[in-house]
Amino acid sequence: ALDHLRVRAWAALSTILHNRAVTGSGGSLDDAARYTSRAVVLGERVLEAARGPGETHSAMRDLGRALYSHGVVLITQGKWPEAEKASRKALELLDRVATDGGGAFLQQRAGYLVGLAACLTYQGKDREAEELYREAHSISDATLGPSHPNTVATLFRLATLLQKTGRCVPLDPTPQPPLLHLMNAFSTGS
């Protein structure tokens, strides 16, 4: 039980350090990477030692969260292949522990999809990234609504990717509400 708590604590600490480093308010990406690495290694050991479905489920969930945090740190450090590997494994574990298709699971899945899509975009794997952004947007739109910040952010990432690949028409300069403006670019560019 103590190791489960360490996995969670190290992943949470790395998230704090990552956010502080990114915002310039202290914290170090190297320290964040060390803590997520520790969380992943310990999480793998906890999973190997798990007995019974309850312990296994909990260990997979904790390891998935640690891997997701590790992927985020690696993305920020520009270590795309490593981030992709961690993000894929986190998504795989999330899908394995899903007990229902409820909103909380779907929202977490959308976040993991966006993280993986970002890794792929940075590596030039635009087609696969587009599919993941579309899936994440669909989930966010259905669970949170079209004007929720997560839905808008995912749609913006998708539109940016489509613009980058030349598959999105330029926005009409006519003033419109920002969300409608972005949605117009999304719907006419695909």
Side-chain angles (χ1 to χ4, degrees), residues 4 10 36 54 94 117 156 183 190:
H4 279 290
W10 287 341
T36 57
L94 177 66
F156 179 77
M183 291 175 73
S190 47

Side-chain angles (χ1 to χ4, degrees), residues 45-93:
R45 276 193 248 147
V46 168
L47 180 57
E48 287 174 12
R51 294 186 177 97
E55 278 187 27
T56 301
H57 182 272
S58 182
M60 285 194 304
R61 186 186 65 239
D62 291 344
L63 177 56
R65 288 179 181 154
L67 283 161
Y68 174 77
S69 295
H70 193 54
V72 170
V73 171
L74 291 169
I75 288 170
T76 307
Q77 291 180 317
K79 298 178 179 177
W80 319 126
E82 297 95 334
E84 178 184 350
K85 182 178 176 184
S87 297
R88 283 188 190 282
K89 190 166 181 182
L91 186 58
E92 174 192 327
L93 287 170

Side-chain angles (χ1 to χ4, degrees), residues 151-168:
T151 306
V152 174
T154 303
L155 186 58
F156 179 77
R157 286 174 178 253
L158 175 59
T160 301
L161 176 63
L162 293 173
Q163 185 76 36
K164 172 188 149 198
T165 60
R167 298 183 46 239
C168 185

Side-chain angles (χ1 to χ4, degrees), residues 101-162:
F105 159 75
L106 290 172
Q107 291 167 25
Q108 189 174 10
R109 179 172 171 71
Y112 283 30
L113 290 168
V114 167
L116 178 54
C119 294
L120 297 171
T121 300
Y122 289 124
Q123 295 178 84
K125 300 177 182 179
D126 296 334
R127 288 288 183 184
E128 187 179 359
E130 178 184 338
E131 291 173 23
L132 297 177
Y133 280 136
R134 286 185 186 278
E135 183 180 349
H137 175 261
S138 177
I139 290 169
S140 293
D141 190 46
T143 59
L144 301 172
S147 60
H148 189 278
N150 291 357
T151 306
V152 174
T154 303
L155 186 58
F156 179 77
R157 286 174 178 253
L158 175 59
T160 301
L161 176 63
L162 293 173

